[in-house]
Amino acid sequence: MSVNHQVKNTKIEYVEGCLSDILLVNTQIPEFDRRITRADLQLRLNKKTHLLLVAKINGGAVGYKLGYALSSSVFYSWLGGVIPAYRQMGIASSLSQQQEDWAQKSGYEHVEVKSMNRYPAMLQLLISSGYRITGYEDRGDENKSKICFSKTLTKQND
């Protein structure tokens, strides 16, 4: 999978990436605590169908979206982020849309995702993209508790 688009005279390429892309991008996202390791990623993805999309500018990773199958009908959008210098270019929206398109073509009926109050831009993106709040995981601190979202993927007529 490779998709290209241009924003403000900047060519953005979207490709399937590797775990090194995630680790590199995460070191440049100040909101992330950087605790996730290659081993954490590998353990979570072990024997699961997954998709890792990476946004690249001039060959360098600037954002990503990673998800995996929870079941034959539900795809879980687990991690994602965009380096601050490349935000407001539609990269997160494009990565999410491409992930949803792939999930739908792959036979999934729903995409689920969790986020937190400390990521207001992500909450806004999810709601504006048609995700609905389906639950709340109370972790004793409103900044650590998780808000659960789900989106039904519409079937397109062939």
Side-chain angles (χ1 to χ4, degrees), residues 64-75:
Y64 72 90
K65 193 77 171 149
L66 173 63
Y68 57 85
L70 285 178
S71 70
S72 61
S73 63
V74 179
F75 191 80

Side-chain angles (χ1 to χ4, degrees), residues 43-54:
L43 183 64
R44 177 74 69 103
L45 299 175
N46 187 35
K47 298 182 182 177
K48 292 182 178 115
T49 300
H50 63 276
L51 176 66
L52 168 53
L53 294 173
V54 176

Side-chain angles (χ1 to χ4, degrees), residues 12-15 25 53-57 60-65 82 91 95:
I12 304 168
E13 180 182 20
Y14 298 90
V15 298
V25 171
L53 294 173
V54 176
K56 293 188 172 193
I57 295 178
V62 299
Y64 72 90
K65 193 77 171 149
V82 177
I91 293 171
L95 286 165

Side-chain angles (χ1 to χ4, degrees), residues 13-155:
E13 180 182 20
Y14 298 90
V15 298
E16 289 190 39
C18 62
L19 298 183
S20 296
D21 294 320
I22 291 177
L23 297 170
L24 176 65
V25 171
N26 280 356
T27 64
Q28 300 174 69
I29 296 180
E31 298 92 339
F32 290 176
D33 57 18
R34 293 172 182 62
R35 288 183 297 148
I36 198 152
T37 66
R38 180 180 299 275
D40 295 330
L41 295 168
Q42 290 171 328
L43 183 64
R44 177 74 69 103
L45 299 175
N46 187 35
K47 298 182 182 177
K48 292 182 178 115
T49 300
H50 63 276
L51 176 66
L52 168 53
L53 294 173
V54 176
K56 293 188 172 193
I57 295 178
N58 296 324
V62 299
Y64 72 90
K65 193 77 171 149
L66 173 63
Y68 57 85
L70 285 178
S71 70
S72 61
S73 63
V74 179
F75 191 80
Y76 182 62
S77 183
W78 179 33
L79 294 173
V82 177
I83 296 170
Y86 299 97
R87 293 179 183 169
Q88 304 301 314
M89 297 175 73
I91 293 171
S93 295
S94 185
L95 286 165
S96 292
Q97 185 61 56
Q98 289 178 54
Q99 184 183 66
E100 289 173 21
D101 292 346
W102 178 90
Q104 182 177 5
K105 288 176 188 168
S106 298
Y108 297 97
E109 297 171 14
H110 305 278
V111 174
E112 293 183 357
V113 64
K114 297 175 186 175
S115 193
M116 301 179 204
N117 281 326
R118 66 181 179 178
Y119 303 126
M122 184 63 185
L123 298 174
Q124 291 171 351
L125 174 64
L126 289 167
I127 291 168
S128 69
S129 298
Y131 283 81
R132 296 188 169 258
I133 296 172
T134 57
Y136 184 74
E137 294 177 3
D138 190 345
R139 297 191 172 180
D141 177 342
E142 69 180 34
N143 286 316
K144 293 181 181 175
S145 296
K146 294 189 176 187
I147 304 164
C148 307
F149 293 85
S150 182
K151 181 176 184 178
T152 300
L153 301 174
T154 58
K155 296 188 190 262

